[in-house]
Amino acid sequence: MIRTATHAPADYRHRPERSIVHPGWLDRLQNSLTGRFELNPWRMKLRQKRFLAAVRVQSTAIETLTQSELCQRARELGDLIRQQGFEDRLLAQQFAVIREMSGRVLGMRHFDSQLTGGWIMVQGRIAEMKTGEGKTLTAVLPVITAALAGLPVHVVTVNDYLTGRDAEEMAPLYQCFGLSLGIITHEIDLPGRRTAYQSDIVYITGKELVFDYLRDQMKLRHKQAIRMQVASLHSTRIESQLQLRGLHFALIDEADSVLIDESRTPLIISGVQGNEEEQAFIETAWTLSFQLQEETDFIVNRDRREIDLTEQGRKTLQYLSQELGPLWKGSIRREEIMNKALLARFIYKLDVDYLVRDGKVELIDPLSGRVMEGRSWEKGLHQMVELKEDCELTQQRVTLARISYQNFFRRYLHISGMTGTAWEVRDELWRVYKLAVTPVKPNKKELRIQYNSRVFNSRSDRWEAIAERCRELVKQGRAVLIGTASVAESEVASEYLKQSGLAHKVLSAKQDKEEAEIVAEAGQPGRITVATNMAGRGTDIKLSPSVEQAGGLHVILTEHYESSRVDRQLAGRCARQGDPGSFEMLLSLEDQPVRSLQGKSLLPTCRSLGVNSAAGQKAALSLLRAEQKFTERQNYLARQSTLEYDHKQKELLAFAGSVD
């Protein structure tokens, strides 16, 4: 139970956040044993039933109250919760008031499943709710409860589109309770952000939130509240520039995407560094890279996305650069910049890792297929890609401040979240964030039909089968959603569909501005939509009556994503809230490089049996799943490496007062 009365005031001098302590082996053992108990699916089931019964009783008692009386009751309960904490008795009353008000203002009254999800999040846990269960409406229960108790609330979303959409949809309800609402997207300037952070409730993406926190940390000379108080007596200049008022209460939408998938790489604030000499150094390295020979001077490891210079390559580079000036004298510097040039040439691909728009290189988020606004690679890699694509060369950037997602979100006094797919990573969520995952029973029984997966020898065979499948479904009057792994694959799919004479729409990083319009039409009869990654978009595909009668939306997965969770999220686009729908996987053995030992052992079996046989299909499916598990393992190790690096940096630079 969280006693809100122990929280420090929410202002710019008192900036409460949880201190991060690196646990010893005994603490880790205790945490592991506690996790086994907390992660039991039946944990708190009895409390949930009692809580729902209490809400029903309270709902009956307040039905006759006027809207102003409901608001007054909510404020009184907020004061009690601030004094006594999140007790079930008070929560049941507050949830009943919020549900009643939501029904009157928004025309949407919370189901029992949504009440359960909201209650789980107030307990500081992650509610795993099936896709389409109405998580946006569920979130207002803990958000309003915490805000009325006096806690600044941050609702963290996965992209700017959802930030604006969810906030605007729920704004009338917040206004009825007298709560102020702030919305922060990438375009909001610094004064606008400070104003938004002063609101009771702030909707913001994880990246924007972390960057704002880092900017504040860079301005702070005194981190302790007392020292800040003393410093403010001398001058309030620094205080007036700060944005956040501390890390009080965070609710994370699509929690697995934010806390797991996006935490592989740290968030870095960089500054411009460089001059004409530095630019010439980069351009010269790019030119020299074409004089090195693959296999002789360097080895390309496409599976691990790495370039290794050979001993011969180091000697060749030293020989080629001996007359090029002082920047080429140090072996570490010249080999690092050459590595970046070779990475740009052989590893980083157009329309997979980045796209070129308006003459600029823009990074693509591999998780959502969206453009990552304002992001760039560091240490010269971004400039190498610009040279590769004949774009105007930007200046190099150097790291000014950094922090990992793990270390940032663990600093919140209260953190919770919701998602449709967290059970697969429940152990990691508990170990890193001490967040237990609790599944929520859906409001309506799922009617999704899962067809048997099929594997083809080549990509072309797979795309031809997809085109034929789409033709069949269009004749039935159904809608089709095709999930691809990259912008490039979406364009390949589009070409095959065009050749087959099938009308369709493409939703990827190149069409992100038309997303709402494309999604709105995706449930119409005969509509085929190709999407890079619908997972985490938080968008419902509304079915027309004729499509619903014909069998609903049919989802086709063209290749395994980096995680089985994302596969499951894509499947969740169909058969939502009791609607009909179906899902199938049409895969190819050319989809993924074979890297795991299990995959390499299964490959000869697949070739000998042939994918046309039942045994060959089974072996091929096992091979592709083994490769997906291998990727999941590599991503997990990357996240652990990021976290460990943060710990080491903190220990090494503690004496210097680093921002993290």
Side-chain angles (χ1 to χ4, degrees):
M1 182 183 297
I2 295 180
R3 297 283 179 179
T4 58
T6 63
H7 289 191
D11 61 28
Y12 294 99
R13 299 178 189 175
H14 300 88
R15 302 169 58 81
E17 61 180 59
R18 194 184 304 276
S19 59
I20 302 299
V21 179
H22 197 35
W25 70 269
L26 190 59
D27 293 323
R28 291 195 297 270
L29 176 61
Q30 182 184 7
N31 188 44
S32 177
L33 294 174
T34 305
R36 293 188 180 183
F37 173 70
E38 292 291 342
L39 292 171
N40 189 312
W42 292 97
R43 174 86 168 91
M44 302 192 302
K45 285 289 183 183
L46 183 58
R47 277 185 65 192
Q48 289 178 25
K49 291 180 180 179
R50 289 174 178 169
F51 178 76
L52 289 176
V55 174
R56 293 189 198 103
V57 171
Q58 294 297 326
S59 296
T60 304
I62 63 172
E63 286 178 349
T64 58
L65 296 180
T66 64
Q67 191 164 308
S68 60
E69 289 173 333
L70 286 173
C71 290
Q72 179 61 32
R73 180 62 179 149
R75 285 191 289 270
E76 292 172 357
L77 287 168
D79 292 337
L80 289 173
I81 291 173
R82 180 164 60 248
Q83 297 166 16
Q84 301 177 30
F86 293 130
E87 295 183 352
D88 285 359
R89 172 180 55 84
L90 298 174
L91 288 176
Q93 298 178 58
Q94 192 71 289
F95 276 30
V97 172
I98 297 170
R99 179 166 73 165
E100 182 66 27
M101 187 72 81
S102 176
R104 298 183 188 183
V105 176
L106 301 178
M108 296 184 287
R109 187 177 172 87
H110 296 82
F111 301 123
D112 282 358
S113 60
Q114 293 170 321
L115 292 171
T116 302
W119 178 80
I120 287 169
M121 286 186 276
V122 173
Q123 310 307 314
R125 304 168 76 89
I126 290 179
E128 186 185 72
M129 304 177 67
K130 297 289 185 181
T131 306
E133 284 295 299
K135 290 191 285 291
T136 303
L137 186 62
T138 302
V140 303
L141 293 164
V143 166
I144 292 175
T145 299
L148 288 173
L151 296 177
V153 178
H154 296 158
V155 182
V156 183
T157 63
V158 291
N159 56 60
D160 284 347
Y161 169 72
L162 292 181
T163 297
R165 189 206 67 178
D166 292 356
E168 289 168 6
E169 284 184 4
M170 298 298 113
L173 185 59
Y174 296 142
Q175 290 170 3
C176 283
F177 285 105
L179 298 171
S180 56
L181 175 65
I183 304 173
I184 298 177
T185 59
H186 184 71
E187 294 79 18
I188 304 298
D189 58 15
L190 293 179
R193 288 168 184 261
R194 180 178 168 88
T195 301
Y197 278 119
Q198 292 173 341
S199 303
D200 300 313
I201 302 165
V202 180
Y203 277 74
I204 187 172
T205 63
K207 290 185 177 69
E208 296 298 325
L209 179 61
V210 177
F211 283 136
D212 287 341
Y213 175 83
L214 283 178
R215 292 186 190 102
D216 278 359
Q217 295 297 94
M218 291 171 64
K219 295 170 186 172
L220 287 172
R221 289 173 295 178
H222 305 300
K223 306 290 180 66
Q224 296 83 6
I226 295 178
R227 296 186 67 185
M228 285 186 63
Q229 187 81 16
V230 173
S232 67
L233 297 175
H234 174 68
S235 172
T236 59
R237 184 178 61 85
I238 298 297
E239 183 181 334
S240 64
Q241 296 175 359
L242 300 177
Q243 299 177 77
L244 279 74
R245 295 179 291 160
L247 305 179
H248 296 261
F249 190 105
L251 188 148
I252 305 174
D253 188 15
E254 303 296 346
D256 61 324
S257 178
V258 174
L259 299 178
I260 298 295
D261 296 330
E262 294 188 10
S263 64
R264 275 182 288 168
T265 54
L267 277 297
I268 297 172
I269 287 183
S270 57
V272 175
Q273 182 193 55
N275 47 38
E276 292 183 3
E277 190 177 10
E278 285 279 353
Q279 301 292 79
F281 177 61
I282 292 172
E283 292 174 357
T284 303
W286 175 254
T287 304
L288 287 182
S289 71
F290 291 90
Q291 298 186 41
L292 300 182
Q293 302 298 318
E294 187 174 352
E295 301 299 334
T296 302
D297 296 317
F298 61 91
I299 306 297
V300 179
N301 190 328
R302 289 179 174 83
D303 295 346
R304 299 179 62 182
R305 295 174 64 84
E306 293 178 353
I307 300 285
D308 294 316
L309 285 174
T310 64
E311 191 60 37
Q312 177 61 41
R314 293 186 179 91
K315 292 179 181 178
T316 303
L317 180 59
Q318 183 179 12
Y319 172 75
L320 292 173
S321 62
Q322 59 185 355
E323 302 294 335
L324 293 179
L327 290 179
W328 290 93
K329 297 303 181 185
S331 60
I332 295 177
R333 185 180 178 87
R334 66 171 176 260
E335 289 171 14
E336 182 181 37
I337 197 65
M338 183 55 61
N339 181 265
K340 294 296 185 291
L342 296 171
L343 283 171
R345 286 180 56 197
F346 294 97
I347 301 298
Y348 287 83
K349 303 296 183 184
L350 178 66
D351 290 340
V352 177
D353 301 295
Y354 63 93
L355 58 82
V356 177
R357 188 159 55 182
D358 299 329
K360 296 180 180 179
V361 172
E362 297 183 321
L363 277 58
I364 296 175
D365 187 343
L367 304 171
S368 65
R370 293 176 178 273
V371 169
M372 295 192 288
E373 298 285 350
R375 302 290 295 278
S376 63
W377 291 299
E378 60 177 345
K379 298 181 179 178
L381 176 59
H382 199 87
Q383 287 70 31
M384 292 299 180
V385 174
E386 289 172 334
L387 289 169
K388 175 183 176 181
E389 302 297 340
D390 294 324
C391 296
E392 182 181 352
L393 207 61
T394 58
Q395 288 187 301
Q396 269 199 87
R397 306 188 72 84
V398 294
T399 299
L400 300 178
R402 58 165 282 156
I403 191 173
S404 66
Y405 266 95
Q406 295 98 319
N407 270 339
F408 173 74
F409 281 107
R410 291 193 301 180
R411 298 184 179 196
Y412 271 93
L413 300 180
H414 183 285
I415 182 172
S416 60
M418 54 187 181
T419 183
T421 49
W423 193 248
E424 293 91 336
V425 288
R426 61 190 181 280
D427 291 331
E428 185 176 352
L429 286 167
W430 174 259
R431 184 170 54 254
V432 176
Y433 302 98
K434 283 197 176 180
L435 278 170
V437 177
T438 303
V440 179
K441 185 179 178 180
N443 181 54
K444 294 182 180 179
K445 184 179 179 181
E446 285 186 334
L447 301 178
R448 184 180 303 113
I449 299 173
Q450 175 105 28
Y451 291 104
N452 291 332
S453 302
R454 288 187 284 163
V455 182
F456 301 87
N457 272 318
S458 65
R459 290 190 180 95
S460 59
D461 291 343
R462 186 261 316 277
W463 287 121
E464 288 174 7
I466 289 174
E468 182 60 33
R469 190 77 173 101
C470 289
R471 190 176 289 109
E472 295 173 6
L473 294 163
V474 167
K475 287 181 180 178
Q476 297 172 15
R478 297 184 63 182
V480 183
L481 173 65
I482 301 173
T484 61
S486 67
V487 174
E489 283 298 298
S490 291
E491 293 180 349
V492 171
S494 181
E495 283 301 314
Y496 272 96
L497 293 173
K498 284 178 183 176
Q499 292 172 14
S500 301
L502 294 168
H504 60 281
K505 292 281 188 178
V506 178
L507 177 57
S508 68
K510 292 185 176 180
Q511 295 84 22
D512 54 0
K513 293 182 180 178
E514 295 85 31
E515 175 175 337
E517 181 182 346
I518 294 174
V519 171
E521 298 175 355
Q524 300 301 311
R527 175 70 69 188
I528 300 173
T529 306
V530 181
T532 48
N533 188 351
M534 289 295 290
R537 291 187 186 268
T539 50
D540 282 338
I541 296 177
K542 301 287 193 303
L543 303 182
S544 69
S546 60
V547 170
E548 191 172 340
Q549 291 177 357
L553 178 70
H554 182 78
V555 177
I556 300 175
L557 177 68
T558 61
E559 62 181 280
H560 281 306
Y561 290 112
E562 291 188 345
S563 168
S564 59
R565 288 180 296 106
V566 187
D567 294 351
R568 190 151 66 94
Q569 287 172 359
L570 182 68
R573 296 296 120 188
C574 66
R576 301 160 75 99
Q577 279 290 345
D579 289 340
S582 52
F583 172 73
E584 68 179 322
M585 297 184 186
L586 300 180
L587 311 170
S588 164
L589 284 175
E590 292 181 347
D591 285 339
Q592 295 170 307
V594 180
R595 298 177 291 176
S596 67
L597 290 176
Q598 184 180 355
K600 290 176 180 178
S601 65
L602 285 169
L603 188 58
T605 305
C606 294
R607 288 172 176 166
S608 61
L609 292 173
V611 295
N612 294 325
S613 66
Q617 281 285 305
K618 186 176 180 180
L621 286 169
S622 298
L623 184 154
L624 292 175
R625 177 62 184 129
E627 292 309 306
Q628 187 181 47
K629 286 183 177 178
F630 179 83
T631 303
E632 288 175 340
R633 177 64 180 172
Q634 294 300 112
N635 290 339
Y636 167 75
L637 293 175
R639 293 191 294 270
Q640 292 302 108
S641 176
T642 299
L643 186 57
E644 286 300 318
Y645 182 85
D646 256 16
H647 288 317
K648 290 178 181 177
Q649 285 291 99
K650 186 175 180 181
E651 292 172 3
L652 290 172
L653 302 178
F655 67 92
S658 63
V659 294
D660 184 21

